[in-house]
Amino acid sequence: MGYLSGIYAIWLRELKRAVRDRGQLVGGVSRPLLWVLIMGIGLNPYFRGEVYGEVRFVVPFTYLQFIFPAVIALNMMYTSVQSAVSVIWDREFGFLREVLVSPMPRAAVLFGKILGGTTVALFHGILVLVLARFADVTFSPTAWLKGLGLMILLGFALTSLGVVIANRVRTFEGFGVFSNAVILPLYFTSSSIFPLDPSLTRAQTVVIYPDWLVFLIQANPITYAVDALRGVFLDFNQFHPLWGPLLLLAMCLVFFLAALRDFRRA
Amino acid sequence: MQTAPGPIVEIDSVTKRYVRTVALDDISFDVAENELFALLGPNGAGKTTLIEILCTIQRGDKGSVQIAGLDVAKQSREVRKRLGVVFQEPSLDTRLTVAENLDFHGRIYGVPASVRRRRKEELLELVELAGWRDRLVRTLSKGMQRRLEIARALIHDARLLVLDEPTVGLDAQTRSRIWEYLRTLQQEREITVLVTTHYIDEVEDCDRLCIIDQGRVLALDTPQGLKNRYGYHLLRLTPQDEEVRHELRHRFGEALAERGKDLVMAAPEAEALKLIEELGDKLKAFFVERPSLESVFLSLTGYEVRDEVAGARERLLEFGRRGGEHTQ
Ligand SMILES: Nc1ncnc2c1ncn2[C@@H]1O[C@H](COP(=O)(O)OP(=O)(O)OP(=O)(O)O)[C@@H](O)[C@H]1O
Ligand SMILES: [Mg+2]
């Protein structure tokens, strides 16, 4: 308990750095605009067409509505890169030592850092929510709160993951690789931009999408996070509605512990 | 020798080996409470390694270190509370302002807000950065950043301030100012200051000086004590006439060097003074140079002479060593 002020200091520092980082802010604003307004509106007409006269759609939404929750996840994923950059930055520019010789336990240091990253991620998620009106997504105040809860979990998990990866990346150069090799594949295979079941019954899924793709999507934990967000904001789930929150909790725990183990060893 | 209370730092046969180098080879010494203690050593002497072991961010292979009676390895958290550290490499957040860096430090050390504010102002005054409070650290000069780091290390109740080469790479004026701050802090806040450096001219005024090289302690004493023990007085004599010159040359032979009309030799203090007295009016003029720490350093490590083109001064010192009895 005695370390609350220290955790606060570390959290505050993460926030200040994020706010002063123009590039990060520009990305956080322009990315949702691109995905929601350009991609969403552009693909909207192709998303639902009647195939054989009368078709019962699994996804009763416009494309804009459908990808909207996924864009929240995407925007938050990019902030995890920032958290990772911040970890490397601290290490390379010596600031880490300032923290390491302080009486703060490592777990508290890490917790403060990840909490800071989570807050920044949450903020970037909310930037997307601001566009809800344009995407025709409406939801109740309760959904708002539930959504925030899920976003906090997602932010925490993603930031922890960012830290875990940062501990394995030696230089800033490794970074382009990181974002391309991790974020986009995770995003595209999370049933974010197309539903798992394109039209009718469950049986058709496997016929229409190849096994390997279905496998990738089902193995990707982000899939369930996106699904949980859809459940809250659109009231549409492709999986059991408890899967998302449970998996998010598990991710928070596993990634945080992994980050802590690395940090203790360093 | 020292009247101060028990030692605040006790280093007992600490050894640290990296893959191929022995960075610290059985180092033992104490630092007394409220002392301005300097650790002097050339590059690669093992200063940083020792400091990092003191600061609990490295472990020695052997030996033990106690700070304020606490074991560095076993009670590291307690040790850290009592320690203010300035690392060799800068460790400020250059994207935060001066004040933000200080606040951050105060918070992670759990300093109450009121104390933090007061200390912040006091220390900013001391290191002459009060007017820079809201500037991003990135926009400060290297010397200013260094001063800020010193201020930062003292926001909490540090009893021991450890600085690893705080003056390296700074101009002479900034260097001497930093030493002034250190002296002020040591006296006014009654803390112990342990500082490493490889500039000999800086350590003249410290209370005690430990010279290390290649991971070993070569000597440890007050600067004066070291000069008395390892330094030499330099005598420059101008003989009255040729006869005296001859006599002196005959008497001291190799130990005496000719420098124009003068004769030069190195000698321990007592001997030098006795000689001057004895020769008295056989001399037209004489000049005695007190031993400097440089000569101490040279006679201990044998550096410079070996490594540099021997200038006049070095040749004299080299000469002194050959003639002296106290050479190691
Ligand atoms: N991480 C390391 N791995 C291997 N060798 C090291 C490491 N750190 C230091 N050394 C070696 O240990 C010896 C002592 O290094 P140290 O950094 O303690 O010296 P120093 O007195 O601080 O030198 P400087 O004045 O250059 O800072 C050197 O020979 C150095 O090469
Ligand atoms: Mg060093």
Side-chain angles (χ1 to χ4, degrees):
Chain A
M1 282 317 276
Y3 301 110
L4 272 185
S5 72
I7 294 177
Y8 170 70
I10 293 170
W11 173 84
L12 187 64
R13 170 172 178 260
E14 291 301 308
L15 250 60
K16 283 185 171 155
R17 289 173 60 93
V19 168
R20 286 172 198 172
D21 183 351
R22 282 284 167 68
Q24 196 187 353
L25 278 178
V26 169
V29 171
S30 68
R31 209 172 302 116
L33 285 177
L34 280 175
W35 278 92
V36 173
L37 296 185
I38 311 295
M39 180 101 172
I41 293 176
L43 289 182
N44 219 9
Y46 302 96
F47 188 53
R48 284 193 308 168
E50 288 176 342
V51 184
Y52 299 110
E54 197 188 318
V55 176
R56 183 173 61 80
F57 288 103
V58 170
V59 185
F61 301 102
T62 66
Y63 190 57
L64 251 172
Q65 290 170 327
F66 180 76
I67 64 165
F68 183 78
V71 176
I72 296 177
L74 177 70
N75 222 25
M76 293 179 75
M77 282 163 88
Y78 272 94
T79 59
S80 70
V81 176
Q82 225 54 44
S83 304
V85 169
S86 150
V87 167
I88 298 180
W89 200 92
D90 285 358
R91 195 177 61 210
E92 299 303 311
F93 293 98
F95 189 78
L96 183 62
R97 307 183 130 219
E98 152 78 350
V99 185
L100 290 187
V101 289
S102 80
M104 291 265 291
R106 300 226 168 156
V109 170
L110 186 68
F111 187 67
K113 188 141 193 104
I114 291 179
L115 223 49
T118 306
T119 311
V120 176
L122 185 65
F123 171 70
H124 279 235
I126 291 174
L127 279 180
V128 183
L129 277 184
V130 171
L131 296 177
R133 248 159 34 89
F134 300 101
D136 257 333
V137 177
T138 49
F139 40 86
S140 64
T142 355
W144 236 112
L145 285 180
K146 278 191 202 160
L148 283 187
L150 288 176
M151 282 157 70
I152 290 172
L153 288 181
L154 179 61
F156 195 92
L158 288 173
T159 312
S160 306
L161 178 64
V163 174
V164 170
I165 295 175
N167 285 327
R168 285 162 175 71
V169 176
R170 288 291 123 203
T171 56
F172 286 106
E173 283 81 66
F175 241 73
V177 182
F178 171 49
S179 49
N180 289 325
V182 178
I183 294 190
L184 289 180
L186 276 182
Y187 178 64
F188 284 126
T189 61
S190 64
S191 183
S192 53
I193 51 173
F194 50 83
L196 204 51
D197 181 346
S199 59
L200 290 166
T201 56
R202 191 155 283 272
Q204 236 170 330
T205 310
V206 184
V207 178
I208 292 171
Y209 288 136
D211 282 352
W212 59 266
L213 185 57
V214 173
F215 172 77
L216 280 182
I217 291 171
Q218 285 175 344
N220 179 358
I222 303 296
T223 302
Y224 304 90
V226 171
D227 193 59
L229 288 171
R230 279 203 186 106
V232 167
F233 291 122
L234 301 178
D235 201 14
F236 166 67
N237 282 96
Q238 301 190 81
F239 301 92
H240 190 282
L242 272 181
W243 262 120
L246 283 181
L247 241 114
L248 276 174
L249 268 175
M251 270 161 48
C252 288
L253 206 69
V254 169
F255 291 148
F256 182 79
L257 290 179
L260 187 60
R261 197 197 50 189
D262 290 349
F263 193 41
R264 285 229 169 96
R265 221 191 281 148
Chain B
M1 287 264 313
Q2 74 246 356
T3 49
I8 185 158
V9 183
E10 295 164 78
I11 299 170
D12 185 21
S13 23
V14 169
T15 298
K16 174 82 190 178
R17 187 186 302 272
Y18 291 112
V19 187
R20 299 177 104 186
T21 31
V22 181
L24 297 175
D25 186 3
D26 197 26
I27 294 248
S28 301
F29 64 85
D30 291 350
V31 179
E33 193 101 44
N34 198 216
E35 186 170 40
L36 178 49
F37 188 99
L39 193 60
L40 177 71
N43 290 125
K47 303 182 293 293
T48 299
T49 306
L50 184 58
I51 294 289
E52 287 183 347
I53 291 174
L54 291 186
C55 297
T56 75
I57 57 176
Q58 268 217 50
R59 289 268 174 100
D61 300 332
K62 263 191 249 148
S64 76
V65 177
Q66 301 219 318
I67 290 181
L70 299 161
D71 189 288
V72 162
K74 295 191 195 103
Q75 293 152 292
S76 57
R77 188 149 304 146
E78 288 303 311
V79 168
R80 288 180 204 166
K81 285 184 190 162
R82 293 163 174 77
L83 217 57
V85 188
V86 176
F87 289 107
Q88 183 167 359
E89 306 295 333
S91 65
L92 294 163
D93 186 341
T94 55
R95 298 193 190 177
L96 295 184
T97 66
V98 168
E100 284 168 343
N101 267 283
L102 297 179
D103 284 331
F104 179 88
H105 185 92
R107 288 192 177 112
I108 61 172
Y109 280 79
V111 181
S114 56
V115 179
R116 194 177 75 224
R117 268 191 288 275
R118 184 166 45 80
R119 290 255 170 85
K120 191 166 67 174
E121 294 314 314
E122 265 172 35
L123 288 162
L124 282 177
E125 284 300 328
L126 175 78
V127 300
E128 302 166 84
L129 286 175
W132 298 78
R133 202 176 276 110
D134 297 317
R135 293 286 292 270
L136 287 181
V137 169
R138 181 166 42 171
T139 64
L140 266 53
S141 73
K142 254 180 104 182
M144 290 166 125
Q145 295 192 5
R146 221 59 184 137
R147 278 145 55 192
L148 175 58
E149 285 194 286
I150 294 173
R152 182 179 68 175
L154 292 165
I155 292 281
H156 66 289
D157 274 314
R159 285 182 57 197
L160 173 66
L161 176 60
V162 177
L163 308 100
D164 194 6
E165 306 211 29
T167 54
V168 72
L170 304 178
D171 61 84
Q173 198 191 349
T174 313
R175 278 167 50 190
S176 72
R177 260 205 294 183
I178 282 178
W179 281 88
E180 278 167 34
Y181 304 145
L182 295 183
R183 188 46 105 179
T184 311
L185 285 165
Q186 175 256 340
Q187 285 172 348
E188 289 180 2
R189 291 190 49 179
E190 297 188 352
I191 55 174
T192 310
V193 179
L194 169 58
V195 50
T196 78
T197 181
H198 65 256
Y199 296 123
I200 301 174
D201 53 319
E202 288 183 336
V203 294
E204 201 71 53
D205 297 322
C206 64
D207 296 329
R208 283 200 307 156
L209 172 62
C210 176
I211 299 182
I212 70 169
D213 187 24
Q214 293 172 359
R216 271 189 299 246
V217 174
L218 298 184
L220 194 167
D221 205 338
T222 59
Q224 192 54 52
L226 288 175
K227 288 181 207 166
N228 293 345
R229 187 135 42 113
Y230 303 104
Y232 291 93
H233 277 66
L234 224 49
L235 285 174
R236 184 182 271 261
L237 313 168
T238 319
Q240 211 39 281
D241 48 34
E242 279 307 307
E243 202 178 315
V244 177
R245 179 189 298 270
H246 232 84
E247 182 192 325
L248 287 174
R249 295 223 44 166
H250 183 71
R251 179 166 159 194
F252 295 108
E254 278 284 288
L256 210 56
E258 296 219 42
R259 191 112 329 187
K261 276 187 291 180
D262 298 340
L263 297 169
V264 180
M265 72 180 281
E269 180 168 30
E271 211 169 294
L273 296 180
K274 210 173 83 203
L275 195 64
I276 299 266
E277 205 173 85
E278 178 198 323
L279 292 175
D281 46 35
K282 287 182 177 170
L283 301 175
K284 201 186 281 174
F286 63 85
F287 176 80
V288 186
E289 190 187 307
R290 290 192 178 284
S292 66
L293 283 177
E294 261 145 74
S295 68
V296 171
F297 192 75
L298 285 179
S299 60
L300 283 171
T301 64
Y303 279 175
E304 264 174 43
V305 188
R306 227 188 294 134
D307 300 338
E308 286 175 11
V309 183
R313 188 178 167 73
E314 279 71 30
R315 249 185 292 139
L316 281 180
L317 288 163
E318 164 71 3
F319 194 74
R321 260 208 315 286
R322 270 196 277 124
E325 305 154 354
H326 294 247
T327 315
Q328 293 214 318

